[in-house]
Amino acid sequence: MKPPVPVVDLPLANSLGALLVRLALDEPKSEPDAVASLVRETVASLVRAEAEGHACVVTPHAAALLSTGVVGHPGESKPLILDGTRIYLRRMFLCEGVVAQGLKARIAAPNAAVDPTAVGQFLRGCGLLPDAEVDWQAVAVTAGLVRPLVVISGGPGTGKTRTAAVLLAAIRNFQPDVKVALAAPTGKAAARLGEALAQTWAALPCGAGDGPTAMTLHRLLGASADGRRFRHGPTNPLPADLVLVDEASMVDLALMSRLVAALRPETRLVLLGDKDQLASVEAGYVLGDLCDAAGLNRFSPEFAALVQAVTEQALPAVDGGANTAIELKRNYRFGRDNAIQRLSSLVRAGQPEAALAALEQLQPTDAVQWQPLRTLTELEDSLQQVFAEKLRSRWPGAGPAEALAELGRFQILCALKRGPFGRDAVNEAIETQLKNCGLRAKGATWYPGRPVLITANAPHLGLFNGDLGVAWKDDSDLLQVWFHGPEGIRSFAPSRLPAHETAFALTVHKSQGSEFNEVLLVLPPNPSPVCTRELVYTGLTRARNRVTLWSPAHALSTALSSGCQRTSGLRARLTSAAH
């Protein structure tokens, strides 16, 4: 028997592999060495795959693995589960099953009853349905009123937040007894959701009033401090009648399984996100798998008729439409001639040649600029210029409030953490510039103007993974770290902070859920498996007004040709009989 993959030197893989080898060899085998090798290598491949974001791996050794005694079919209590040619760690298989079963049940459930005429009048009162063109926001709101599961997908500027605000206002108007919970995967995303909804509600002509408080998914589910135990689950479900989750592309398979397991059968679920963004850091691609399985804007004749009765707009219908995933198509932030919109659309569509042609045709006044940096010297020279033009003006500042505001105006994003073009090297280069200017003492960890990214949740402090702060002196001349809070800015002594890192440069992964007026996106000159179409798209769309791209053409072309492919059985399980 030939092992499927080379050995991975990971402590978890080694320990788990050794345990399963002992279990497999409890009974005499004709080829004990081959059995041990196969089990050890399979476990190593699974541990490595999960670390890379995959829920499972495809194996050509199904029969041989079943003969080891530690691999079972779905429904069997074995450490490893084989489903067709997909093999899982049992934990991941069970998580996938919980998600598949909960989502499938909601897709198959019937529509709730509404008064189409009243809903249509309400939507018009909220400023929707302005013309004869299909208003996908109105379609999404209608779906949210009647469907047990709705995905609202769209890029930045397509109106996801406005759609959510109108939906929640409609629920308050037509379904006043429905208890709503708002959540997001990170503290920063939850704060942005709450702030954005509050601003949108205030501007709605339909008078939405105050809404529920947004919180992290972990807080909603009652996670323990170590994140291993949850207060809400199958035996103690959430009291909410509808749960709305923003930035759903960031929710991994394990966390989604916790959420789905904590929902009562009648609880509705609304997921907001951009299916084309980077997938979750942890294993799984739930939003993408769900959109692929349900089909974007695929509606049954019954649902299409309901939408037409509400909106007076005709939708195409197909037999078997899932009525689940609505894609918002119109961009309200960028016009069609905006360079960010044009380039991000080409990137999302996986058209590297057209994207490079668009970059070569850019004008100096366009919202996108391109520098094909190839060498470390070019990078160092360009970073010096960026420091002089974009960052040096932060010192001296008017105070911590102005310093915090500066963080939202310009941000460097890197594809990689390490390496000469990575986040760590760029942060070090900026700090060297500060030292050369006398703004940072040699070897000093803390200094005025140091931007800080929180990388761990600290609910007792009100600080969460993804929060951005800045070091600045207070009125007593003491250096504090300042953050935005629910009631304004607040400060902490540096020693009180949870895990954190310097944030002149962030990785694109860490920037998810954030937006900045201007972004500098740095890709390495040599192709990397980390650099994918989704990463470039996510980096570009963090910019509200302007983006500069540093990448040679060949590296960019390779990235745009490389989509994020995660191995999972969720799509298949959503479209077939559940196990």
Side-chain angles (χ1 to χ4, degrees), residues 357-423:
L359 289 172
E360 291 170 351
Q361 296 168 10
L362 289 170
Q363 300 300 312
T365 56
D366 283 334
V368 175
Q369 294 299 303
W370 178 40
Q371 290 182 244
L373 299 189
R374 296 176 178 83
T375 68
L376 184 56
T377 299
E378 290 177 330
L379 174 67
E380 292 171 345
D381 291 344
S382 296
L383 283 175
Q384 288 183 13
Q385 185 176 354
V386 165
F387 177 78
E389 296 179 357
K390 303 293 184 182
L391 298 175
R392 179 65 179 84
S393 60
R394 295 181 180 179
W395 296 269
E402 177 62 21
L404 278 171
E406 288 284 352
L407 298 183
R409 292 174 185 144
F410 175 76
Q411 182 63 54
I412 303 172
L413 302 180
C414 298
L416 307 178
K417 292 180 182 179
R418 287 170 283 277
F421 284 73
R423 175 204 64 192

Side-chain angles (χ1 to χ4, degrees), residues 179-232:
K179 297 178 182 178
V180 175
L182 304 180
T186 67
K188 180 164 187 178
R192 285 190 67 248
L193 173 63
E195 293 167 2
L197 284 176
Q199 292 173 0
T200 307
W201 270 317
L204 282 178
C206 51
D210 295 331
T213 300
M215 63 186 71
T216 65
L217 276 169
H218 281 82
R219 182 181 172 192
L220 176 69
L221 295 171
S224 61
D226 60 8
R228 296 181 179 179
R229 298 177 302 281
F230 293 80
R231 182 169 64 254
H232 293 291

Side-chain angles (χ1 to χ4, degrees), residues 39-53:
V39 170
R40 190 178 296 113
E41 303 295 356
T42 299
V43 169
S45 70
L46 286 169
V47 171
R48 179 177 61 186
E50 184 174 339
E52 294 175 349

Side-chain angles (χ1 to χ4, degrees), residues 12 16 42-43 45-57 72 74-76 78-83 86-101 251-258 280-286 289 566-571 573 579:
L12 175 60
L16 182 58
T42 299
V43 169
S45 70
L46 286 169
V47 171
R48 179 177 61 186
E50 184 174 339
E52 294 175 349
H54 305 287
C56 57
V57 297
E76 295 184 296
K78 295 294 179 72
L80 306 180
I81 301 297
L82 184 71
D83 186 8
R86 296 187 299 270
I87 189 164
Y88 298 76
L89 294 170
R90 177 177 173 79
R91 175 179 61 86
M92 295 305 295
F93 181 78
L94 294 178
C95 285
E96 192 178 90
V98 168
V99 173
Q101 183 176 3
V251 183
D252 60 76
L253 181 61
L255 183 56
M256 186 64 78
S257 73
R258 291 285 189 181
S280 57
V281 174
E282 303 297 332
Y285 182 43
V286 177
D289 284 340
R566 290 195 166 182
T567 307
S568 162
L570 181 57
R571 179 180 178 182
R573 294 171 83 167
H579 294 296

Side-chain angles (χ1 to χ4, degrees), residues 227-571:
R228 296 181 179 179
R229 298 177 302 281
F230 293 80
R231 182 169 64 254
H232 293 291
T235 59
N236 182 30
L238 288 166
D241 302 306
L242 182 145
V243 175
L244 185 149
V245 180
D246 195 18
E247 298 291 352
S249 64
M250 299 169 64
V251 183
D252 60 76
L253 181 61
L255 183 56
M256 186 64 78
S257 73
R258 291 285 189 181
L259 172 62
V260 172
L263 301 178
R264 290 175 288 129
E266 65 272 19
T267 299
R268 291 140 59 183
L269 180 62
V270 178
L271 303 176
L272 270 67
D274 185 346
K275 73 175 186 63
D276 296 309
Q277 278 191 32
L278 281 167
S280 57
V281 174
E282 303 297 332
Y285 182 43
V286 177
L287 189 68
D289 284 340
L290 176 53
C291 287
D292 287 345
L296 292 172
N297 298 343
R298 286 180 56 85
F299 308 114
S300 67
E302 177 191 12
F303 182 78
L306 172 63
V307 170
Q308 186 166 10
V310 170
T311 68
E312 299 180 3
Q313 296 172 335
L315 290 181
V318 295
D319 290 335
N323 311 319
T324 296
I326 293 95
E327 182 178 36
L328 305 181
K329 297 182 177 182
R330 183 174 178 179
N331 197 296
Y332 297 88
R333 180 182 304 169
F334 303 124
R336 293 182 179 179
D337 294 332
N338 180 274
I340 297 177
Q341 172 68 8
R342 290 199 308 270
L343 181 60
S344 60
S345 296
L346 293 171
V347 169
R348 181 179 58 188
Q351 299 179 16
E353 294 181 359
L356 287 170
L359 289 172
E360 291 170 351
Q361 296 168 10
L362 289 170
Q363 300 300 312
T365 56
D366 283 334
V368 175
Q369 294 299 303
W370 178 40
Q371 290 182 244
L373 299 189
R374 296 176 178 83
T375 68
L376 184 56
T377 299
E378 290 177 330
L379 174 67
E380 292 171 345
D381 291 344
S382 296
L383 283 175
Q384 288 183 13
Q385 185 176 354
V386 165
F387 177 78
E389 296 179 357
K390 303 293 184 182
L391 298 175
R392 179 65 179 84
S393 60
R394 295 181 180 179
W395 296 269
E402 177 62 21
L404 278 171
E406 288 284 352
L407 298 183
R409 292 174 185 144
F410 175 76
Q411 182 63 54
I412 303 172
L413 302 180
C414 298
L416 307 178
K417 292 180 182 179
R418 287 170 283 277
F421 284 73
R423 175 204 64 192
D424 294 346
V426 171
N427 277 323
E428 184 177 349
I430 299 299
E431 290 192 318
T432 298
Q433 293 294 315
L434 288 170
K435 183 185 67 175
N436 294 341
C437 292
L439 296 171
R440 171 179 175 253
K442 183 178 180 180
T445 301
W446 289 102
Y447 50 88
R450 180 192 175 193
V452 173
L453 176 76
I454 299 300
T455 59
N457 292 326
H460 62 291
L461 297 176
L463 293 175
F464 298 92
N465 182 18
D467 286 348
L468 273 173
V470 65
W472 209 265
K473 290 186 177 181
D474 62 15
D475 293 339
S476 301
D477 207 36
L478 294 176
L479 193 68
Q480 301 285 309
V481 188
W482 301 79
F483 296 86
H484 287 293
E487 300 178 356
I489 65 171
R490 58 217 174 98
S491 64
F492 300 86
S495 60
R496 295 186 64 203
L497 296 184
H500 56 274
E501 59 193 35
T502 302
F504 289 110
L506 304 175
T507 61
V508 175
H509 274 92
K510 287 292 187 181
S511 74
Q512 284 184 273
S514 299
E515 291 181 346
F516 309 92
N517 289 350
E518 183 175 353
V519 161
L520 167 60
L521 178 58
V522 181
L523 304 185
N526 297 317
S528 165
V530 173
C531 295
T532 62
R533 177 171 64 249
E534 291 82 3
L535 181 138
V536 177
Y537 171 79
T538 303
L540 292 173
T541 54
R542 297 312 88 204
R544 297 188 189 96
N545 303 322
R546 184 178 175 87
V547 60
T548 300
L549 175 62
W550 288 358
S551 173
H554 71 279
L556 181 60
S557 178
T558 301
L560 300 191
S561 302
S562 305
C564 176
Q565 300 294 329
R566 290 195 166 182
T567 307
S568 162
L570 181 57
R571 179 180 178 182

